[in-house]
Amino acid sequence: MLYEYKKILSTLLLISSSILGYAQSDSIDLNSIIDKKVKLSTERPVEKIYMHFDKPYYAVGDTIWFKAYLTMDQHVPSTLSKVVNVDFLTETDSVANSLKLAVNNSVASGSIVLSPPTYKQGNYRIRAYTTWMFNFKDDYFFHKSILVGDAIQKQLATNITFSDGTDRGGKTNARISFRDDDGKPYANKKVNWKVNLGYETVSKGKVETDASGFATISIPEYKKGSLREGSLITSIEVNNARQISSSFKLNPAYPKNDIQFFPEGGQLLEGIPTKVAFKAIKATGLGIDVKGNVTDNSGSSVSEFNSQHLGMGSLIITPEAGKTYTANVTFADGSKSSYPLPAVVGSGITIKHSPKLDTTLNFRIYSSNNFLETNRNKTFYVIAQSSGIVMYAAKLRLVNQVTSVAISTSKFPSGIIQLSILSAAGEPLTERLAFVYRKEELSIKVKTDKQVYAARQKVSAAISSLADNKPAEGHFSISVIDETRVPVDENAETTILSSLLLSSDLKGYIEKPNYYFTNINESKIADLDALLLTQGYRGYSYKEIISNSVPRASFPPEQGISLSGTLRYNNGMPVSKGNIRLIIPDKSFGVSAVTTADGRFRFDNVAFADSSKITISAVNNVNSKNMVITMDGIPYPSIAANVNSPELIMNIDSALNTYLQHSKREHFDGRLLQEVVIKAKAYEKKSSHMDYTALAGLSMMPNSQVSGERFKGCNNFLQCLQGSAMGLTFMNNEFYITRDYNAGRQVPVQIYVRDMPVDVNFLNSINPPEVESVEIFYNDGVSGINRRTQTNGVVVVNMKEIKKTSMSISQLKELFPDRNTLTYKPQGYAKVKQFYTPKYSVNPSSLNKADLRTTIYWNPAVTTDKAGNAVFEFFNSDNKGTFKAVVEGLDKDGRLGRAVYRYTVK
């Protein structure tokens, strides 16, 4: 649904009729501004990703099923990128899994198996991106929190509450419940505890649980400051003297409420009645209700206020010259504080908007008296854009203090509208965000052959999609879950609507995003407006656009997997017009390339599965024995702070109790062996940096880790590491932390093999099958390694303990392979697995094994026909209760849709 440039120009309006017959030599023409904006949108279109998941949360042993929708501009299917990258990150920002997905028709699907013991209970997050998105930093990456519980490989469930904490970090009490996997309390058990702040233990002690399994830990005041960033670590002695540890963040124990105020239009204008929005949050980042009043510098109360939704709300004041204003706030927890409002501005222009469920957007442009007198009869520009595309533009001649602007919503698609006022010189003066709901957007309806079913009974279902009351062809994904055992907070869901229409265009965390897209009414319209007034808008400013200072795109869109490198002689000179051969043995595929004058070669659109062997060879050259192949590293974005950190759950066992109790029944079938305590001394295995004293100061968890499995079948470890180490860039025979290298800090990492510091060339001597893992640290923690060696970051190569055996000449030669041939396993496309659902069409009771699935059906590849219809069928599980079907997707014109449907199994 892209609007052409001619259509944009047709929306140019004269807001004031007095503009007729008035001539002015503008510094920059309105058409020129639009031309620059259109050019930018053409050269740097914005891609976005939305991922639909089968469930809102998971347990160890589950499979995460998902579908990625790749869009550009106004949510039309993207034609730019053909590869989507998906990272599964732990709470400590380590990479637990990374997938590369092939995009077909702007969609891709995949899965992640949460197999034990690799995955444990915790707060994870998904981020998805394309290489093209690197040009916009991480502004348009998709982010989602993924909560994973554990009901099959743990023997301890905890729940913690805090009391008596202070904002100054004083004494607080932590009351913790310790229970086994059956819910029975660990009574009269010893508990060791300590409080860590960074790498320092600041206090510790011992307590004992009572008869109900509760232990109360009194955390003393920390004399050097607050413990808000610290952690409480407990260790309880359970069966067979086994110690089980748990960790809890302390920030909820020390309240730190905050509130910010945002005048509509960006400033408090003298003499202009102004709406001031506010947003109050607590220490966790979630909203907190507030009430209070605003007083001026004489102590007189000029306004009172109460929050309306999740700590957000607004108040009205008319600022006076020479006065200052203070907001006196009382938070819901009883704490109080005062905050100064922004200073009063004597001259300016602003935009006001009163949101309504209407077909017209009504704006009012206010000028202060001083501004009006100074700029009377001057020309200003009013421009509205949606998803980076200019949809409305008009000239305004300033005649009156108040000018009304009414714009039909038919000019815009659903989503955020940014209305800006620019001077004739193109200088942005003020802006206002608004939201457009289009009822005629994609409508999806779900219908089943029955409303009530029996266990294991077949469900025949159909969906129909309409756009503007006409059949719509589109791509959809369908998830059916057992809602009785997977209860969902509908308001907190991340949906295709909340993600692409709201979260992707606003900066910062948005609490309960789907609240604004369910049962829409005037109250929710007002709540959404408060959100828009308190969140920043993504995108380039008009000042950057007009001055042509927008950075050039450095990363081209990926059309497939590319493998590139350099061919040199042993003396370092490049090989010009050298022959390079790429072979994928498991596909019986081969292709050749010729190097450029500087020895460069590149293979584009190479399709291969992850873990496939790739051979790059230069043997078909004269003097090939004196040639060396060097492969380029892969670009990898730095891991930024988790924007959704307020969603982190501390008491996972309690939060997922219903689901975990059922998960235990579903997954326990004798295949998973519980841990056995062996009192004999185990064989010592060196597989982590924690095993080496010299590296003890590094963080317990690396930022990224590469399993030794990736190096099986690899001939040269250094070459293979270049293509496998996420977060590292290999340039000039050195490894660098990618995020720092891209920021201009070109300081190499320090490399360790076991506990021995080595240089890069040493990695050529390592036998790849002997590598246990590679750990990558973006900083050296408190080890002091980087300070001593003038490096940045640490790479640790952990080796397997291999028995000493005699070595043949051929085996010895394998340790030092010819450098003109390279065999390694770069990251390829993740294998797409098929969701399995049993069929009970012959005899539903013929299978004796209980069917306890909670994801009843998942289909990421549903397409509607020209009539807008699609049909599907599946079988219910043995569970009884309410089942919930969610259908999401988009049509070929970028209209988004979501439908929720429920039926009953008795």
Side-chain angles (χ1 to χ4, degrees), residues 139-367:
D139 284 354
Y140 296 103
F141 285 20
F142 174 83
H143 297 276
K144 178 178 171 60
S145 298
I146 300 288
L147 193 61
V148 177
D150 188 354
I152 57 178
Q153 64 177 7
K154 61 180 296 184
Q155 295 179 309
L156 176 65
T158 61
N159 185 280
I160 187 170
T161 56
F162 294 103
S163 61
D164 300 326
T166 70
D167 190 41
R168 296 182 298 275
K171 178 180 177 181
T172 188
N173 291 322
R175 182 171 170 80
I176 308 175
S177 167
F178 296 93
R179 296 180 178 272
D180 64 17
D181 56 346
D182 291 322
K184 297 179 181 178
Y186 280 117
N188 309 119
K189 297 290 185 180
K190 295 180 181 179
V191 177
N192 295 307
W193 63 269
K194 63 180 179 179
V195 173
N196 285 353
L197 188 60
Y199 297 95
E200 179 184 4
T201 297
V202 298
S203 61
K204 58 183 179 180
K206 296 180 180 180
V207 293
E208 187 172 294
T209 60
D210 60 20
S212 300
F214 283 91
T216 299
I217 297 172
S218 182
I219 303 173
E221 182 176 357
Y222 182 51
K223 296 180 180 179
K224 295 182 181 180
S226 174
L227 293 175
R228 188 173 292 110
E229 302 303 321
S231 298
L232 171 64
I233 300 172
T234 64
S235 179
I236 184 171
E237 183 180 287
V238 294
N239 300 331
N240 300 315
R242 180 170 180 257
Q243 299 284 334
I244 302 179
S245 296
S246 301
S247 179
F248 310 93
K249 290 188 178 297
L250 289 176
N251 62 317
Y254 301 96
K256 186 184 179 182
N257 300 325
D258 189 27
I259 188 170
Q260 289 182 289
F261 294 87
F262 306 87
E264 185 177 23
Q267 53 191 353
L268 290 178
L269 284 182
E270 175 187 323
I272 304 296
T274 303
K275 178 189 291 186
V276 180
F278 58 82
K279 183 174 185 177
I281 59 173
K282 48 192 173 183
T284 59
L286 297 175
I288 182 172
D289 286 336
V290 295
K291 62 181 180 179
N293 71 339
V294 175
T295 55
D296 60 21
N297 49 318
S298 67
S300 300
S301 179
V302 297
S303 181
E304 294 185 351
F305 59 88
N306 285 278
S307 56
Q308 64 192 55
H309 177 63
L310 299 176
M312 295 180 291
S314 62
L315 57 94
I316 302 290
I317 65 170
T318 303
E320 297 182 32
K323 286 192 175 184
T324 58
Y325 297 91
T326 301
N328 307 295
V329 181
T330 300
F331 295 93
D333 60 8
S335 61
K336 298 181 179 182
S337 192
S338 296
Y339 301 84
L341 294 188
V344 178
V345 177
S347 177
I349 188 170
T350 189
I351 306 173
K352 299 185 181 298
H353 173 56
S354 299
K356 298 288 184 181
L357 271 176
D358 199 354
T359 57
T360 302
L361 293 172
N362 293 298
F363 297 95
R364 287 171 297 160
I365 301 173
Y366 279 76
S367 303

Side-chain angles (χ1 to χ4, degrees), residues 47 140 176 210 293 297 371 444 650 676 715-716 769 850-851 859:
E47 280 190 323
Y140 296 103
I176 308 175
D210 60 20
N293 71 339
N297 49 318
F371 189 86
I444 305 172
M650 180 176 297
V676 178
N715 286 340
N716 184 284
D851 183 355
N859 189 341

Side-chain angles (χ1 to χ4, degrees), residues 276-583:
V276 180
F278 58 82
K279 183 174 185 177
I281 59 173
K282 48 192 173 183
T284 59
L286 297 175
I288 182 172
D289 286 336
V290 295
K291 62 181 180 179
N293 71 339
V294 175
T295 55
D296 60 21
N297 49 318
S298 67
S300 300
S301 179
V302 297
S303 181
E304 294 185 351
F305 59 88
N306 285 278
S307 56
Q308 64 192 55
H309 177 63
L310 299 176
M312 295 180 291
S314 62
L315 57 94
I316 302 290
I317 65 170
T318 303
E320 297 182 32
K323 286 192 175 184
T324 58
Y325 297 91
T326 301
N328 307 295
V329 181
T330 300
F331 295 93
D333 60 8
S335 61
K336 298 181 179 182
S337 192
S338 296
Y339 301 84
L341 294 188
V344 178
V345 177
S347 177
I349 188 170
T350 189
I351 306 173
K352 299 185 181 298
H353 173 56
S354 299
K356 298 288 184 181
L357 271 176
D358 199 354
T359 57
T360 302
L361 293 172
N362 293 298
F363 297 95
R364 287 171 297 160
I365 301 173
Y366 279 76
S367 303
S368 67
N369 289 328
N370 292 340
F371 189 86
L372 178 62
E373 292 304 317
T374 303
N375 296 279
R376 189 182 296 275
N377 288 324
K378 288 185 178 180
T379 298
F380 295 86
Y381 302 137
V382 181
I383 301 177
Q385 63 172 321
S386 171
S387 298
I389 306 296
V390 173
M391 311 297 296
Y392 172 93
K395 283 186 178 181
L396 162 70
R397 187 172 71 168
L398 196 61
V399 177
N400 301 314
Q401 189 173 23
V402 182
T403 303
S404 296
V405 179
I407 310 174
S408 172
T409 57
S410 63
K411 296 183 182 296
F412 306 99
S414 291
I416 297 176
I417 305 302
Q418 181 193 39
L419 188 75
S420 303
I421 297 180
L422 282 64
S423 70
E427 179 184 0
L429 301 176
T430 184
E431 71 176 34
R432 180 64 156 90
L433 300 183
F435 197 90
V436 170
Y437 286 103
R438 292 285 298 274
K439 294 182 180 179
E440 67 272 22
E441 285 280 310
L442 188 62
S443 172
I444 305 172
K445 293 185 178 180
V446 183
K447 185 179 180 180
T448 56
D449 56 337
K450 297 180 180 180
Q451 189 60 46
V452 179
Y453 293 88
R456 301 195 179 191
Q457 188 174 4
K458 184 170 78 171
V459 177
S460 297
I463 64 172
S464 60
S465 56
L466 297 175
D468 296 326
N469 295 317
K470 297 178 181 179
E473 296 178 69
H475 294 279
F476 300 91
S477 45
I478 301 173
S479 170
V480 181
I481 62 173
D482 178 353
E483 193 176 29
T484 302
R485 289 150 190 84
V486 191
V488 181
D489 180 355
E490 195 74 19
N491 290 332
E493 287 274 80
T494 298
T495 71
I496 194 169
L497 300 176
S498 70
S499 178
L500 294 180
L501 299 183
L502 191 64
S503 304
S504 60
D505 285 324
L506 291 181
K507 296 180 180 178
Y509 170 69
I510 299 177
E511 185 176 354
K512 297 186 182 299
N514 198 42
Y515 165 83
Y516 306 102
F517 296 92
T518 57
N519 304 318
I520 301 168
N521 52 36
E522 294 291 347
S523 176
K524 289 194 175 183
I525 292 293
D527 293 340
L528 176 56
D529 192 57
L531 175 70
L532 297 181
L533 287 168
T534 58
Q535 303 280 139
Y537 185 70
R538 300 188 195 278
Y540 295 112
S541 68
Y542 282 102
K543 184 177 295 185
E544 292 176 294
I545 296 169
I546 294 170
S547 64
N548 297 316
S549 60
V550 174
R552 297 183 63 181
S554 301
F555 297 90
E558 272 187 297
Q559 294 298 302
I561 299 176
S562 296
L563 302 174
S564 60
T566 305
L567 180 64
R568 292 187 175 92
Y569 291 108
N570 287 336
N571 60 9
M573 295 298 293
V575 178
S576 177
K577 297 182 179 180
N579 297 310
I580 296 290
R581 182 74 174 166
L582 180 148
I583 301 171

